[in-house]
Amino acid sequence: MIQTQAFSQTNPTVKLFVITNKNGVCAKITNYGAILTSLKLPLKSEDREVVLGFDSLEDYQSEVYLKDYPYFGAIIGRFANRINQGKVTIAGKGIQLPTNHGKHLLHGGHSGFDKQIWEAEILSESKLQLSLHSKDGDQNFPGNMKINVIYELNNDNELAIYYSATCDKTCPINLTSHTYFNFTGGKENILNHELQIDSDKIIETNYELIPTGNFAEVKNSTYDFNSKKKLNRDIAIIENYDDCYVLKTEGETLMKVAELYEEKSNIRMDISTDFAGLQVYTGKFINVERNDKFGPFSGIALETQDFPDAPNQTNFPHGLIHPGEVYEHQTRYQFHF
């Protein structure tokens, strides 16, 4: 069942869509930024909130939130993660994209998909489609790009996100959901959560998190999550995970790639995807002023996506979309509780 509610005191075009399955799992999505604002699981003790988000459009547009903008729950595009100095070359032509993170492009620029109002269509009792037309020259990205994102909440307690896009010019593309998870309902940070990732390599980056073009083996290192381990085990050494894990999907095959588990709540989330990478960000720099609930390590972002800076890395796949192609990916989050 999908219900439609108001989400703003001032903008009637921004709505909240509430999807509830037969088990009482409830997902809330707004057409502003295609944001997953809430995901509640019906535990015996309470309906447990397991993602970070707000209750109104005004909260997402407030100065205190945007100052250290953590992109809670948003769909990111046209290009998630980083592009080195915001520069790409397509067919021999250099293109300068916005540099909104120091001298680099991050998560689509100053006004990416996360800040746009999407068209919404209820497809069924469990499916919501959000659509966006990004015009040629939008933040200097080439081509008219059409994007569809479908959220589906099924009765197997699985939230699926389906991505598709076309463009009439060759253009960088990398879409993701920037949802943060915390299975304690905000009572604790995420450092006692246990994470497992089926990955042998991460993308090597410099100190600004720009890829070097190389891959680093994780076996027996502090980056190794092939066996489930608590996030706090190596955090004193790492300080903060913000790394792209290379998945065995090869960007084509849907498969289970990761698990997140929290012992006290006994909540486990399985992540399946056909994206090539999984960006793990443990949220050290989350800082929403005057809101104690949203501080460092208050959530972990597990962003299924393709590789950062892919248009500038000859050995990275999936960095561009070409005319006549259809960009298609999906990610599924299944909850056990």
Side-chain angles (χ1 to χ4, degrees):
M1 178 177 65
I2 301 181
Q3 297 177 314
T4 304
Q5 301 175 0
F7 196 60
S8 170
Q9 299 177 359
T10 58
N11 191 335
T13 65
V14 176
K15 303 293 185 181
L16 188 70
F17 299 87
V18 182
I19 311 176
T20 307
N21 73 5
K22 70 176 184 180
N23 306 314
V25 177
C26 181
K28 297 181 180 181
I29 299 114
T30 176
N31 60 320
Y32 175 78
I35 294 170
L36 176 67
T37 70
S38 172
L39 183 61
K40 289 186 176 180
L41 307 180
L43 306 186
K44 291 181 180 179
S45 58
E46 63 175 334
D47 288 343
R48 175 68 58 85
E49 180 63 75
V50 296
V51 304
L52 307 192
F54 297 112
D55 295 328
S56 73
L57 172 65
E58 287 71 25
D59 288 326
Y60 286 98
Q61 293 181 329
S62 69
E63 289 185 13
V64 293
Y65 175 62
L66 295 176
K67 180 181 177 182
D68 294 297
Y69 187 31
Y71 299 89
F72 286 169
I75 295 296
I76 305 297
R78 294 187 185 190
F79 201 93
N81 217 310
R82 293 158 178 83
I83 291 180
N84 187 19
Q85 299 182 60
K87 294 180 179 179
V88 296
T89 300
I90 298 176
K93 179 183 177 182
I95 299 173
Q96 180 63 62
L97 300 170
T99 52
N100 62 316
H101 188 69
K103 61 184 179 182
H104 308 296
L105 176 135
L106 176 68
H107 292 337
H110 299 287
S111 185
F113 294 172
D114 53 291
K115 294 177 180 175
Q116 306 304 312
I117 298 176
W118 297 55
E119 294 291 326
E121 181 182 358
I122 296 173
L123 300 181
S124 71
E125 290 187 349
S126 62
K127 287 185 178 181
L128 173 71
Q129 178 174 277
L130 298 166
S131 303
L132 189 68
H133 178 201
S134 177
K135 293 182 180 179
D136 186 18
D138 180 4
Q139 297 197 94
N140 217 31
F141 281 98
N144 293 288
M145 183 176 285
K146 295 181 179 179
I147 308 96
N148 289 317
V149 171
I150 294 174
Y151 284 92
E152 179 184 22
L153 177 62
N154 65 30
N155 290 324
D156 293 324
N157 299 332
E158 187 177 56
L159 180 69
I161 307 178
Y162 305 92
Y163 306 83
S164 65
T166 59
C167 196
D168 59 8
K169 293 181 181 178
T170 299
C171 181
I173 188 170
N174 190 16
L175 306 182
T176 193
S177 167
H178 209 291
T179 296
Y180 293 82
F181 299 94
N182 182 332
F183 298 162
T184 75
K187 298 180 180 68
E188 301 176 17
N189 65 32
I190 47 84
L191 293 179
N192 277 320
H193 287 53
E194 298 175 58
L195 180 64
Q196 185 272 327
I197 307 172
D198 188 13
S199 172
D200 299 325
K201 300 175 183 178
I202 58 172
I203 292 175
E204 183 182 82
T205 60
N206 65 19
Y207 70 99
E208 293 182 301
L209 301 181
I210 299 299
T212 64
N214 299 319
F215 301 97
E217 298 284 343
V218 300
K219 187 176 181 179
N220 298 325
S221 77
T222 52
Y223 295 93
D224 190 349
F225 284 96
N226 277 286
S227 296
K228 191 185 299 181
K229 74 173 181 181
K230 286 192 175 183
L231 294 168
N232 64 8
R233 194 178 88 178
D234 297 315
I235 203 71
I237 301 169
I238 297 292
E239 295 186 3
N240 180 52
Y241 288 94
D242 198 353
D243 302 277
C244 188
Y245 283 76
V246 178
L247 302 177
K248 299 173 183 178
T249 63
E250 297 183 349
E252 296 178 356
T253 305
L254 179 68
M255 59 188 291
K256 180 182 172 181
V257 298
E259 285 185 17
L260 185 67
Y261 176 73
E262 200 275 321
E263 185 176 14
K264 289 182 182 178
S265 63
N266 197 32
I267 295 171
R268 187 183 94 232
M269 179 178 72
D270 297 338
I271 302 177
S272 300
T273 193
D274 56 8
F275 276 107
L278 175 68
Q279 185 80 16
V280 176
Y281 173 51
T282 47
K284 178 181 179 180
F285 301 106
I286 298 173
N287 178 27
V288 181
E289 292 182 357
R290 301 193 296 276
N291 191 324
D292 294 337
K293 185 178 178 180
F294 301 130
F297 304 114
S298 57
I300 179 172
L302 297 166
E303 307 160 55
T304 56
Q305 58 184 255
D306 288 322
F307 297 162
D309 200 38
N312 295 317
Q313 306 289 341
T314 56
N315 60 331
F316 287 6
H318 312 296
L320 300 170
I321 186 173
H322 303 283
E325 293 181 345
V326 179
Y327 172 98
E328 288 185 299
H329 283 295
Q330 63 174 295
T331 298
R332 295 170 173 268
Y333 308 91
Q334 186 169 33
F335 293 88
H336 307 269
F337 52 92

